[in-house]
Amino acid sequence: MTSVPDPIRVLIAEDHTIVRQGLRALLASERGIQIVGEAADGHEALAAVVRLRPHVVLMDLAMPGLNGVDATRRIKQESPETAVLILSMHAAEEHVRPAVRAGAAGYLLKGSGLSDLVLAIRAVAAGEAFLSPAVAKILLRDA
């Protein structure tokens, strides 16, 4: 485990404007977290990572152009030190496994609360993994 950067620089990659704005508003008051940018699709997210070098990317899976799994894979190639935290409404195996294989450090369901989101951001920024319980169950089923 590495130490947590202060502040943790976060990029929000989400195609729904209101969700991006809501995440920004929720996280703006969190001590030690700084939103450095937003992206509306995977291509924008990749370009923003190269330009802004965030510690953490909050990544939606279902985005136009370059989806979240492919964007995660490319981000990890371009910037291996950037942690990708998937933020998705999808808890099914066909969504979870590809995201983890692509290099996601965490997977949080959109039904989670702010405290879980902050905990997940801090965990992946520190080099740890973070999984919603339903997601962990999927991954552990075959272990």
Side-chain angles (χ1 to χ4, degrees):
M1 180 174 106
T2 60
S3 64
V4 178
D6 188 18
I8 300 169
R9 297 168 45 79
V10 176
L11 172 72
I12 300 169
E14 163 66 57
D15 60 321
H16 294 98
T17 304
I18 196 164
V19 175
R20 274 195 324 273
Q21 291 173 345
L23 287 167
R24 179 183 278 278
L26 284 170
L27 292 170
S29 63
E30 288 298 320
R31 185 181 49 78
I33 295 177
Q34 175 188 19
I35 305 301
V36 296
E38 298 177 13
D41 64 42
H43 292 292
E44 285 182 19
L46 181 60
V49 166
V50 170
R51 188 177 71 254
L52 301 170
R53 295 293 182 198
H55 298 113
V56 176
V57 176
L58 290 181
M59 179 72 71
D60 185 26
L61 285 181
M63 291 190 295
L66 189 63
N67 68 44
V69 170
D70 293 335
T72 297
R73 185 175 297 107
R74 297 206 25 212
I75 286 168
K76 294 307 292 180
Q77 290 168 349
E78 285 290 323
S79 181
E81 68 281 1
T82 299
V84 177
L85 173 60
I86 301 297
L87 187 58
S88 178
M89 64 182 198
H90 302 290
E93 185 172 355
E94 64 265 19
H95 298 287
V96 174
R97 287 196 186 281
V100 172
R101 282 191 204 108
Y107 198 113
L108 185 68
L109 295 176
K110 285 185 176 176
S112 303
L114 177 60
S115 61
D116 287 335
L117 177 59
V118 171
L119 185 63
I121 290 170
R122 292 187 194 288
V124 300
E128 299 173 5
F130 188 95
L131 301 171
S132 289
V135 171
K137 183 178 179 182
I138 289 169
L139 294 176
L140 290 173
R141 190 173 31 222
D142 295 335

